[in-house]
Amino acid sequence: MTNMQELKGKVVVLTGASSGIGRVAAYAFAARGARLVLAARDGAALEETAEQCRRLGGEARAVPTDVTQGEAVQALADTTVEHEGRIDVWINNAGVGSVGSFEETPLQAHEQVVQTDLLGYLRGAHAVLPQFKRQGSGVLINTLSVGSWVAQPYAASYSAAKFGLVGFTEALRGELADWPDIHVCNLYPAVIDTPGFRDGANYTGHRLSPPSPIYDPEQVAEAMLELACAPRPIRTVGAAAHWLRLAHFLTPGFTRLLGRGTARAIDRAPLAGLSSGNLFGPPSGRRQVHGGWASGGSQAGLAAAAAVAALGAYLLYRARQKP
């Protein structure tokens, strides 16, 4: 079992710390005595997170930062070293999303998703890796998504960013082959109960809600703790992440099926206005950990059903290919 006492006094930089996964992860690290440097665009919400971290026994400093700005991310790293003397863990977690058909979503929205979800991570790594090399050690944790394995129709730029992160982090590992104590860890959550669907951009004209099964953000925070103490290249959260990856691998045309299903679900949802959400600035809604989406259904049952359906479709396909 991982010894969480190892985190006491460790310097942890966490982006996207104002809500959702980032906020609850900050609480988890603080409860283990970490020295936190918290980053996000929403300064007021960030300070709320920092204050709660202090109540939990950790040290926390809020540094408002927009990860789409390279100078701001570099300043985050520089001020952390100046105040704390080192950086033990850097967590790239800030993220945005945009849902809508590719051509009906403004190009600026697509670009902003990539700026945050891909280039924001690149900026974080570029800022912290020189410090890790000076120290001879460090852990870089990147919050990816099951969407890094299975493309998400009607979220094309999100898929582009998340798929890009896989190649980016694998390339980094290759360059760090001679630095055995510097680790790059990818975290792949399934659908998580955060305010992301409420706060994200919506160009569908319909109200959005996440698909089941939905997992608690505390599970992602726990996985981050584990990676910080015992780094490994890949860590998933939620059984559905495994099943979706398997379904994508086994089922020919899986993305087409997913696209048709997504389109039907969107069309059946109640009408709603178009919105750029939190793409270009913090959202107006209250910053919190949970989104209130969690259902009472059987997550294991739903995941198993998806796996069986995928396997059945694959076997049917193979049978039809035989002469």
Side-chain angles (χ1 to χ4, degrees):
M1 181 175 291
T2 302
N3 181 11
M4 295 299 177
Q5 286 298 112
E6 297 174 13
L7 294 172
K8 188 172 182 61
K10 296 291 186 181
V11 178
V12 179
V13 178
L14 173 60
T15 70
S18 61
S19 69
I21 291 171
R23 192 165 188 146
V24 74
Y27 298 163
F29 277 97
R32 276 108 180 141
R35 294 152 57 192
L36 286 156
V37 180
L38 307 176
R41 294 173 298 179
D42 190 335
L46 200 59
E47 187 52 49
E48 287 178 8
T49 304
E51 181 57 34
Q52 179 62 21
C53 287
R54 296 179 195 115
R55 294 193 191 103
L56 290 168
E59 298 178 29
R61 189 162 53 87
V63 182
T65 306
D66 184 344
V67 299
T68 68
Q69 306 298 316
E71 291 182 357
V73 178
Q74 185 61 56
L76 174 64
D78 292 344
T79 58
T80 299
V81 174
E82 180 182 345
H83 284 85
E84 309 293 344
R86 62 183 292 111
I87 300 173
D88 296 297
V89 180
W90 181 290
I91 304 175
N92 281 323
N93 175 73
V96 296
S98 176
V99 180
S101 69
F102 177 72
E103 69 276 11
E104 292 177 359
T105 298
L107 180 59
Q108 293 88 343
H110 288 306
E111 291 173 341
Q112 188 71 359
V113 171
V114 175
Q115 278 286 350
T116 304
D117 295 0
L118 175 58
L119 298 181
Y121 284 45
L122 185 150
R123 294 181 184 103
H126 196 268
V128 75
L129 284 178
Q131 178 60 31
F132 282 174
K133 288 184 176 181
R134 285 191 287 270
Q135 299 167 181
S137 64
V139 180
L140 175 63
I141 300 173
N142 297 302
T143 306
L144 276 71
S145 166
V146 66
S148 300
W149 288 329
V150 181
Q152 305 294 300
Y154 298 91
S157 50
Y158 179 84
S159 295
K162 294 300 184 179
F163 268 68
L165 284 174
V166 176
F168 169 60
T169 52
E170 287 186 7
L172 282 187
R173 292 191 190 110
E175 293 189 24
L176 294 168
D178 292 331
W179 298 84
D181 294 322
I182 298 178
H183 305 276
V184 179
C185 309
N186 285 354
L187 185 56
Y188 295 86
V191 180
I192 304 299
D193 181 22
T194 72
F197 273 82
R198 179 200 72 187
D199 295 340
N202 181 358
Y203 296 100
T204 67
H206 295 266
R207 188 182 306 162
L208 297 177
S209 60
S212 294
I214 302 169
Y215 298 88
D216 289 330
E218 287 85 355
Q219 292 180 252
V220 187
E222 187 68 23
M224 288 179 175
L225 295 175
E226 292 176 11
L227 291 174
C229 295
R232 52 176 161 149
I234 292 175
R235 173 70 157 82
T236 59
V237 175
H242 292 289
W243 293 123
L244 279 169
R245 189 182 189 190
L246 178 65
H248 181 264
F249 176 74
L250 293 179
T251 309
F254 181 82
T255 306
R256 287 182 178 273
L257 295 173
L258 186 59
R260 292 189 181 113
T262 302
R264 284 196 292 269
I266 289 173
D267 288 342
R268 292 171 182 170
L271 297 177
L274 306 183
S275 170
S276 62
N278 64 349
L279 287 185
F280 304 102
S284 56
R286 182 174 178 271
R287 318 308 290 132
Q288 57 195 41
V289 170
H290 297 90
W293 306 106
S295 64
S298 170
Q299 295 178 347
L302 286 167
V308 170
L311 182 57
Y314 173 69
L315 294 175
L316 178 61
Y317 169 79
R318 291 298 301 271
R320 287 178 174 174
Q321 301 308 302
K322 293 181 179 180

